[in-house]
Amino acid sequence: MELAPRAPRPHSIRKVLTRWLSSAIRRPRAAIVVAAIAAACVLVVFASAWSKTRPPSGLRAVADTYVSAHARHANFGRRHELRIAARPADRVLIRFDLRSGAAALRSAVLSVDPLQDSKTGFEVAPILSGGSWDERRVTFASGVRVGAPVARSGPLRRHHRTRVDVSRLLGHGRTLQLALVATGRRAVVLASREAGGLGPRLLVGTTAPSGAPAPGNGTRPSAAAPCGDGGSPPATYDHVIWITFENQSIQHVIGNSSLPFTNQIAGQCGLATSFFTEAHPSLPNYIAMTSGGTQGVTGDSSGTLSADNVYNQVKQSGREWRHYAFGMPSNCDKNDSPSTGSAIYTAHHEPPIFYADLAADCARWDVGVGDPTKVEDLNDVHSGPLADALDSNTLPAFATLGPTDDGGNSTAGGEVDPVKGDAFLARWIPRITDSAAYRAGRTAIFITWDEPDDFNTNPPRAAIPTIVIAPTVPGGTKVATRLDHYSLLRTTEEMLGLSPFLGAAATAPSMRGDFHI
């Protein structure tokens, strides 16, 4: 296998010069013209060879290899080629060191050298959080997890470097880890870093890629201007995030000067002004919004439920979900914190623990965030499972956030309550909207409440606020259409391409048209 184009052969050049000398001796006047043409040809040949063999610009990969399902325990870290195949699966793993300027980067383009032609090319996917691997040891059996593809190369030509925009995978981490996966039946072969100048490179910049479409075909969103990009919403979204607070009617939130950030983001993005809940107390609403019905739950406790739910729908679609429970002592904790001390976790506000079909994944995907002894852990925005997912651009398709609660300890309070909840949003919403995932234009955030504070009326009559944040939501949107938790569920299923709609979500009005999402 050749790793570089051939240079012109010396004996061919000598033959040309010999013929020219013979001609020059016989026809002196033609010698000057022939010499000029010959010299030009030689220069073109050598210039072409140099342009093809000179090393490309950009960051070199610090590690690359491939793993193969055909040889599950074999390591290919010293090979000069990287193989991508579908059956059995061969996946390429590449790591780049972004160094200290990672936070300022806004564009990244992967450049690779194909060693053979391919009509189908490959797809690029993130290596999921926790995917640490050693080039000289990793194997298919090591279980490096790969996320959903975010970019595609198109056809490949041998020894013509191919570039793929991978800006969507940029976060704030100091490394960028990519997986290359197959799109067709035939194998794809690329040069590895062991092949010298032909190896993978990353072209990075501090501005958006030239000619790249902005999110929603409009302007790039940011933490300062998260909505109103003026473009068209995508047909499907990569990520939908719910944040759920406790026990507030809309009139006690919107216009409340004690909640400045909540009102700011509602004004910048979208607000549902006639959004209603299903029942009192809390748990029936959490079950309703995630399964399409209360499933017979009437109080704040329940046994395991057999009902299908949106988390399971996501899993069955081949993607991942997460429930980020702030203050939860251990993953998938099914017990309320005691009503004394400083514990701040309430299990019946965490819906994944109640569904039977989530049992296998709950311990992995229902994760605690922050210090379980602190109502407000101001460091959780910088480290922990949610911060790591934002930094590495590995958010799951569907994520629900449960802020800290008081666990029955009314003196502790919790971030589900108004003032601390406002501080929670002020800390986390800019963190999310400044992430690579959100800036890519295919992430939406819903902020809602479980129930209003008219506890003596069941079913509730008062409306709750629900705020919609997405790049294409026109700033200041207010929607008076009667909506409820089933509308939220249906809209999420539509945005993630899930079917069939669960329970009452099948007949609930969608929010997509009114909010331009």
Coordinates of all heavy atoms in Angstrom, one line a residue, residues 288-358:
A288 N -47.3 12.0 34.7 CA -48.1 12.4 33.5 C -47.2 13.0 32.4 O -47.3 12.6 31.2 CB -49.1 13.4 33.9
M289 N -46.3 13.9 32.8 CA -45.5 14.5 31.8 C -44.5 13.6 31.1 O -44.0 13.9 30.0 CB -44.8 15.8 32.4 CG -43.7 15.5 33.4 SD -42.8 17.0 33.9 CE -43.9 17.7 35.1
T290 N -44.1 12.5 31.7 CA -43.2 11.6 31.1 C -43.8 10.3 30.5 O -43.1 9.6 29.8 CB -42.1 11.2 32.2 OG1 -42.8 10.6 33.4 CG2 -41.2 12.3 32.6
S291 N -45.1 10.0 30.8 CA -45.7 8.8 30.3 C -47.0 9.0 29.5 O -47.5 8.1 28.9 CB -45.9 7.8 31.4 OG -47.0 8.2 32.2
G292 N -47.6 10.2 29.6 CA -48.8 10.5 29.0 C -50.0 10.2 29.8 O -51.2 10.3 29.3
G293 N -49.9 9.9 31.1 CA -51.0 9.7 32.0 C -50.5 9.6 33.4 O -49.3 9.3 33.6
T294 N -51.4 9.7 34.4 CA -51.0 9.6 35.8 C -50.8 8.2 36.2 O -50.2 8.0 37.3 CB -52.0 10.3 36.7 OG1 -53.3 9.7 36.5 CG2 -52.1 11.8 36.4
Q295 N -51.2 7.2 35.4 CA -51.0 5.8 35.6 C -51.6 5.4 37.0 O -51.0 4.5 37.6 CB -49.5 5.5 35.5 CG -48.8 6.0 34.3 CD -49.5 5.6 33.0 OE1 -50.1 4.5 32.9 NE2 -49.3 6.4 32.0
G296 N -52.7 6.0 37.4 CA -53.3 5.7 38.7 C -52.6 6.2 39.9 O -53.1 5.9 41.0
V297 N -51.6 7.0 39.8 CA -50.9 7.5 40.9 C -51.6 8.7 41.4 O -51.9 9.7 40.7 CB -49.4 7.9 40.5 CG1 -48.7 8.6 41.7 CG2 -48.6 6.7 40.1
T298 N -51.9 8.8 42.7 CA -52.7 9.9 43.3 C -52.0 10.6 44.4 O -52.4 11.6 44.9 CB -54.1 9.4 43.8 OG1 -53.8 8.4 44.8 CG2 -54.9 8.8 42.7
G299 N -50.9 10.0 44.9 CA -50.1 10.6 46.0 C -48.7 10.7 45.6 O -48.3 10.6 44.5
D300 N -47.8 11.0 46.6 CA -46.4 11.2 46.4 C -45.6 9.9 46.6 O -44.4 10.0 47.0 CB -45.9 12.3 47.3 CG -46.1 13.7 46.7 OD1 -46.2 13.8 45.4 OD2 -46.1 14.7 47.4
S301 N -46.2 8.8 46.5 CA -45.5 7.5 46.5 C -46.2 6.6 45.5 O -47.3 6.7 45.2 CB -45.5 6.9 47.9 OG -46.9 6.6 48.3
S302 N -45.4 5.6 45.1 CA -45.9 4.7 44.1 C -45.0 3.5 44.0 O -43.7 3.6 44.2 CB -46.0 5.3 42.7 OG -46.4 4.3 41.7
G303 N -45.5 2.3 43.7 CA -44.7 1.2 43.3 C -44.1 1.4 41.9 O -44.3 2.4 41.3
T304 N -43.5 0.3 41.5 CA -42.9 0.4 40.1 C -44.0 0.3 39.1 O -45.0 -0.5 39.2 CB -41.9 -0.8 39.9 OG1 -40.9 -0.8 40.9 CG2 -41.3 -0.8 38.6
L305 N -43.9 1.2 38.1 CA -44.9 1.3 37.0 C -44.5 0.6 35.8 O -43.3 0.7 35.3 CB -45.2 2.8 36.8 CG -45.6 3.6 38.0 CD1 -45.7 5.1 37.6 CD2 -47.0 3.2 38.5
S306 N -45.4 -0.1 35.1 CA -45.1 -0.8 33.9 C -45.3 0.1 32.6 O -45.0 -0.3 31.5 CB -45.9 -2.0 33.7 OG -47.3 -1.7 33.7
A307 N -45.8 1.3 32.8 CA -46.1 2.2 31.7 C -44.9 2.6 30.9 O -43.8 2.8 31.4 CB -46.7 3.5 32.2
D308 N -45.1 2.7 29.6 CA -44.0 3.2 28.7 C -43.8 4.7 29.0 O -44.7 5.3 29.6 CB -44.4 3.0 27.2 CG -43.1 3.1 26.3 OD1 -42.0 3.3 26.8 OD2 -43.3 3.0 25.1
N309 N -42.7 5.2 28.6 CA -42.3 6.6 29.0 C -41.3 7.1 28.0 O -40.7 6.4 27.2 CB -41.8 6.6 30.4 CG -40.6 5.6 30.6 OD1 -39.5 6.0 30.3 ND2 -40.9 4.4 31.0
V310 N -41.1 8.4 28.1 CA -40.3 9.1 27.1 C -38.8 8.7 27.2 O -38.1 8.6 26.2 CB -40.5 10.6 27.2 CG1 -40.0 11.2 28.5 CG2 -39.7 11.3 26.0
Y311 N -38.4 8.4 28.4 CA -37.0 7.9 28.6 C -36.8 6.6 27.9 O -35.8 6.5 27.1 CB -36.7 7.7 30.1 CG -36.8 8.9 31.0 CD1 -38.0 9.1 31.8 CD2 -35.8 9.9 31.1 CE1 -38.1 10.2 32.6 CE2 -36.0 11.0 31.9 CZ -37.1 11.1 32.7 OH -37.2 12.2 33.5
N312 N -37.7 5.7 28.0 CA -37.6 4.4 27.3 C -37.7 4.6 25.8 O -37.0 3.9 25.0 CB -38.7 3.5 27.8 CG -38.5 2.1 27.2 OD1 -37.4 1.5 27.4 ND2 -39.5 1.6 26.5
Q313 N -38.6 5.5 25.4 CA -38.6 5.8 23.9 C -37.3 6.2 23.4 O -36.9 5.8 22.3 CB -39.7 6.9 23.7 CG -41.1 6.5 23.7 CD -42.0 7.6 23.3 OE1 -41.9 8.7 23.9 NE2 -42.9 7.4 22.4
V314 N -36.6 7.1 24.1 CA -35.3 7.6 23.7 C -34.3 6.4 23.6 O -33.6 6.2 22.6 CB -34.7 8.7 24.6 CG1 -33.3 9.0 24.3 CG2 -35.6 9.9 24.5
K315 N -34.3 5.5 24.6 CA -33.4 4.4 24.6 C -33.7 3.5 23.5 O -32.8 3.0 22.8 CB -33.6 3.6 26.0 CG -32.8 2.3 26.0 CD -31.3 2.5 26.0 CE -30.6 1.1 26.1 NZ -30.8 0.5 27.4
Q316 N -35.0 3.2 23.2 CA -35.4 2.3 22.1 C -35.0 2.9 20.7 O -34.9 2.1 19.8 CB -36.9 2.0 22.2 CG -37.3 1.2 23.4 CD -36.5 -0.1 23.6 OE1 -36.3 -0.8 22.6 NE2 -36.0 -0.3 24.8
S317 N -34.9 4.2 20.7 CA -34.5 4.8 19.4 C -33.0 4.8 19.1 O -32.5 5.3 18.1 CB -35.0 6.3 19.3 OG -34.1 7.1 20.2
G318 N -32.2 4.2 20.1 CA -30.8 4.0 19.9 C -30.0 5.2 20.5 O -28.8 5.3 20.3
R319 N -30.7 6.1 21.3 CA -30.0 7.2 21.9 C -30.0 7.1 23.4 O -30.5 6.1 23.9 CB -30.6 8.5 21.4 CG -30.4 8.8 19.9 CD -31.3 9.9 19.4 NE -32.7 9.4 19.3 CZ -33.7 10.2 18.8 NH1 -33.4 11.4 18.5 NH2 -34.9 9.7 18.7
E320 N -29.5 8.1 24.1 CA -29.4 8.0 25.5 C -30.2 9.1 26.2 O -30.4 10.2 25.6 CB -27.9 8.1 26.0 CG -27.1 6.9 25.5 CD -25.7 6.9 26.1 OE1 -25.4 7.8 26.9 OE2 -24.9 6.0 25.8
W321 N -30.6 8.9 27.4 CA -31.2 9.9 28.3 C -30.4 10.0 29.5 O -29.6 9.2 29.9 CB -32.6 9.5 28.6 CG -32.8 8.2 29.3 CD1 -33.0 7.0 28.8 CD2 -32.7 8.0 30.8 NE1 -33.1 6.0 29.8 CE2 -32.9 6.6 31.0 CE3 -32.5 8.8 31.9 CZ2 -32.9 6.1 32.3 CZ3 -32.5 8.3 33.1 CH2 -32.7 6.9 33.4
R322 N -30.6 11.2 30.2 CA -30.1 11.4 31.6 C -31.1 12.1 32.4 O -31.8 13.0 31.9 CB -28.8 12.2 31.5 CG -27.6 11.6 30.9 CD -27.0 10.4 31.7 NE -25.8 10.0 31.1 CZ -25.7 9.1 30.1 NH1 -26.8 8.7 29.5 NH2 -24.5 8.7 29.6
H323 N -31.1 11.7 33.7 CA -31.8 12.6 34.7 C -30.7 13.1 35.6 O -30.0 12.3 36.3 CB -32.9 11.8 35.4 CG -33.6 12.7 36.4 ND1 -34.4 13.7 36.1 CD2 -33.6 12.6 37.8 CE1 -34.9 14.3 37.2 NE2 -34.4 13.7 38.2
Y324 N -30.5 14.4 35.6 CA -29.5 15.0 36.5 C -30.2 15.5 37.7 O -30.9 16.5 37.7 CB -28.9 16.2 35.7 CG -28.1 15.8 34.5 CD1 -28.6 16.0 33.2 CD2 -26.8 15.1 34.6 CE1 -27.9 15.6 32.1 CE2 -26.1 14.8 33.5 CZ -26.7 15.0 32.2 OH -25.9 14.6 31.1
A325 N -30.1 14.8 38.8 CA -30.7 15.0 40.1 C -29.7 15.7 41.0 O -28.8 15.1 41.5 CB -31.2 13.8 40.7
F326 N -30.0 17.0 41.2 CA -29.1 17.8 42.1 C -29.3 17.5 43.5 O -30.4 17.4 44.0 CB -29.3 19.3 41.8 CG -28.8 19.8 40.5 CD1 -29.5 19.4 39.3 CD2 -27.7 20.5 40.3 CE1 -29.1 19.8 38.1 CE2 -27.2 20.9 39.1 CZ -27.9 20.5 37.9
G327 N -28.1 17.2 44.2 CA -28.2 16.8 45.6 C -28.5 15.4 45.9 O -28.6 15.0 47.0
M328 N -28.7 14.5 44.8 CA -29.0 13.1 45.1 C -27.7 12.4 45.6 O -26.6 12.5 45.0 CB -29.4 12.5 43.7 CG -29.8 11.0 43.9 SD -30.7 10.3 42.5 CE -29.4 10.4 41.2
P329 N -27.9 11.7 46.7 CA -26.7 11.1 47.4 C -26.0 10.0 46.5 O -24.8 9.9 46.6 CB -27.3 10.5 48.7 CG -28.5 11.2 48.9 CD -29.1 11.5 47.5
S330 N -26.7 9.2 45.8 CA -26.1 8.2 44.9 C -27.1 8.0 43.7 O -28.2 8.3 43.8 CB -26.0 6.9 45.7 OG -27.2 6.4 46.2
N331 N -26.5 7.4 42.7 CA -27.3 7.3 41.4 C -28.5 6.5 41.7 O -28.5 5.5 42.4 CB -26.4 6.6 40.4 CG -25.4 7.5 39.8 OD1 -25.2 8.6 40.3 ND2 -24.7 7.1 38.7
C332 N -29.6 6.9 41.0 CA -30.9 6.2 41.1 C -31.4 6.0 42.5 O -32.0 4.9 42.8 CB -30.8 4.9 40.3 SG -32.4 4.2 39.9
D333 N -31.2 6.9 43.4 CA -31.6 6.8 44.8 C -33.1 6.9 44.9 O -33.7 7.8 44.4 CB -30.9 8.0 45.6 CG -31.0 7.7 47.1 OD1 -32.0 7.2 47.6 OD2 -30.0 8.0 47.8
K334 N -33.7 5.9 45.5 CA -35.1 5.7 45.6 C -35.7 6.2 46.9 O -36.9 6.0 47.2 CB -35.6 4.3 45.3 CG -35.2 3.8 43.9 CD -35.6 2.4 43.7 CE -35.4 1.9 42.3 NZ -34.0 2.0 41.8
N335 N -34.9 6.8 47.8 CA -35.4 7.2 49.1 C -35.2 8.7 49.3 O -34.2 9.3 49.0 CB -34.5 6.5 50.2 CG -34.6 5.0 50.1 OD1 -35.7 4.4 50.2 ND2 -33.5 4.3 49.8
D336 N -36.3 9.3 49.9 CA -36.3 10.7 50.3 C -35.2 10.9 51.3 O -35.0 10.0 52.2 CB -37.6 11.2 50.8 CG -38.7 11.3 49.8 OD1 -38.4 11.1 48.6 OD2 -39.8 11.7 50.1
S337 N -34.5 12.1 51.3 CA -33.6 12.4 52.4 C -34.4 12.6 53.7 O -35.6 12.9 53.7 CB -32.9 13.7 52.1 OG -32.1 13.5 50.9
P338 N -33.8 12.3 54.8 CA -34.5 12.5 56.1 C -34.9 14.0 56.3 O -34.3 14.9 55.7 CB -33.5 12.1 57.1 CG -32.2 12.2 56.5 CD -32.4 11.9 55.0
S339 N -35.9 14.2 57.1 CA -36.4 15.5 57.3 C -35.6 16.3 58.3 O -36.0 17.4 58.7 CB -37.9 15.5 57.8 OG -38.0 14.7 59.0
T340 N -34.5 15.8 58.8 CA -33.6 16.5 59.7 C -32.3 16.7 59.0 O -31.9 16.0 58.1 CB -33.5 15.8 61.0 OG1 -33.0 14.5 60.7 CG2 -34.8 15.7 61.7
G341 N -31.5 17.6 59.5 CA -30.1 17.8 59.0 C -30.2 18.7 57.7 O -31.1 19.4 57.5
S342 N -29.1 18.5 56.9 CA -29.0 19.4 55.7 C -29.2 18.6 54.4 O -28.9 19.2 53.4 CB -27.6 20.0 55.7 OG -26.6 18.9 55.7
A343 N -29.8 17.4 54.4 CA -30.0 16.6 53.2 C -31.1 17.3 52.4 O -32.1 17.8 52.9 CB -30.4 15.2 53.6
I344 N -30.9 17.3 51.1 CA -31.8 18.1 50.2 C -32.2 17.3 49.0 O -32.1 17.8 47.8 CB -31.2 19.4 49.8 CG1 -29.6 19.3 49.6 CG2 -31.4 20.4 50.9 CD1 -29.2 18.7 48.3
Y345 N -32.8 16.1 49.1 CA -33.2 15.2 48.0 C -34.5 14.7 48.3 O -34.8 14.1 49.3 CB -32.2 14.1 47.8 CG -32.6 13.1 46.7 CD1 -32.6 13.5 45.4 CD2 -32.9 11.8 47.1 CE1 -33.0 12.5 44.4 CE2 -33.3 10.9 46.1 CZ -33.4 11.2 44.8 OH -33.8 10.3 43.9
T346 N -35.4 14.8 47.3 CA -36.8 14.2 47.4 C -37.0 13.3 46.2 O -37.1 13.7 45.0 CB -37.8 15.4 47.3 OG1 -37.6 16.2 48.5 CG2 -39.2 14.8 47.4
A347 N -37.1 12.0 46.5 CA -37.1 11.0 45.4 C -38.4 11.1 44.6 O -38.3 10.8 43.4 CB -37.0 9.6 46.1
H348 N -39.5 11.5 45.2 CA -40.7 11.5 44.3 C -40.8 12.6 43.4 O -41.8 12.8 42.7 CB -42.0 11.4 45.2 CG -42.2 12.6 46.1 ND1 -41.9 12.6 47.5 CD2 -42.7 13.8 45.9 CE1 -42.2 13.8 48.0 NE2 -42.7 14.6 47.0
H349 N -39.7 13.4 43.2 CA -39.6 14.4 42.2 C -38.7 13.9 41.1 O -38.4 14.7 40.2 CB -39.1 15.7 42.7 CG -40.0 16.4 43.7 ND1 -39.6 17.4 44.6 CD2 -41.3 16.2 43.9 CE1 -40.6 17.8 45.3 NE2 -41.7 17.1 44.9
E350 N -38.3 12.7 41.1 CA -37.4 12.1 40.2 C -38.0 11.0 39.4 O -37.9 9.8 39.8 CB -36.1 11.6 40.9 CG -35.6 12.5 42.0 CD -35.2 13.9 41.6 OE1 -34.9 14.1 40.4 OE2 -35.3 14.9 42.4
P351 N -38.7 11.2 38.3 CA -39.5 10.2 37.6 C -38.8 8.9 37.2 O -39.5 7.8 37.2 CB -40.2 10.9 36.5 CG -39.4 12.2 36.3 CD -38.8 12.5 37.6
P352 N -37.5 8.9 36.7 CA -37.0 7.6 36.2 C -37.0 6.5 37.2 O -37.1 5.3 36.8 CB -35.5 8.0 35.9 CG -35.6 9.5 35.6 CD -36.6 10.0 36.6
I353 N -37.0 6.8 38.5 CA -36.9 5.7 39.5 C -38.2 4.8 39.6 O -38.2 3.8 40.1 CB -36.5 6.2 40.9 CG1 -37.7 7.0 41.5 CG2 -35.2 7.0 40.9 CD1 -37.4 7.4 42.9
F354 N -39.3 5.3 39.0 CA -40.6 4.7 39.1 C -40.9 3.7 37.9 O -41.9 3.0 38.0 CB -41.7 5.7 39.2 CG -41.6 6.5 40.5 CD1 -41.0 7.7 40.6 CD2 -42.1 6.0 41.7 CE1 -40.9 8.4 41.8 CE2 -42.0 6.7 42.9 CZ -41.4 7.9 42.9
Y355 N -40.1 3.7 36.9 CA -40.5 3.0 35.7 C -39.7 1.6 35.6 O -38.5 1.6 35.7 CB -40.2 3.8 34.4 CG -41.2 5.0 34.3 CD1 -40.7 6.3 34.3 CD2 -42.5 4.8 34.1 CE1 -41.5 7.4 34.2 CE2 -43.4 5.9 34.0 CZ -42.8 7.2 34.0 OH -43.7 8.3 33.9
A356 N -40.5 0.5 35.4 CA -39.8 -0.8 35.4 C -38.9 -0.9 34.2 O -37.8 -1.6 34.4 CB -40.9 -1.9 35.3
D357 N -39.2 -0.4 33.1 CA -38.4 -0.6 31.9 C -37.1 0.3 31.9 O -36.3 0.2 31.0 CB -39.1 -0.3 30.6 CG -39.8 1.0 30.5 OD1 -39.5 1.9 31.4 OD2 -40.7 1.2 29.7
L358 N -36.9 1.1 33.0 CA -35.7 1.9 33.1 C -34.7 1.3 34.1 O -33.6 1.8 34.3 CB -36.0 3.3 33.5 CG -36.9 4.1 32.6 CD1 -37.1 5.5 33.1 CD2 -36.5 4.1 31.2

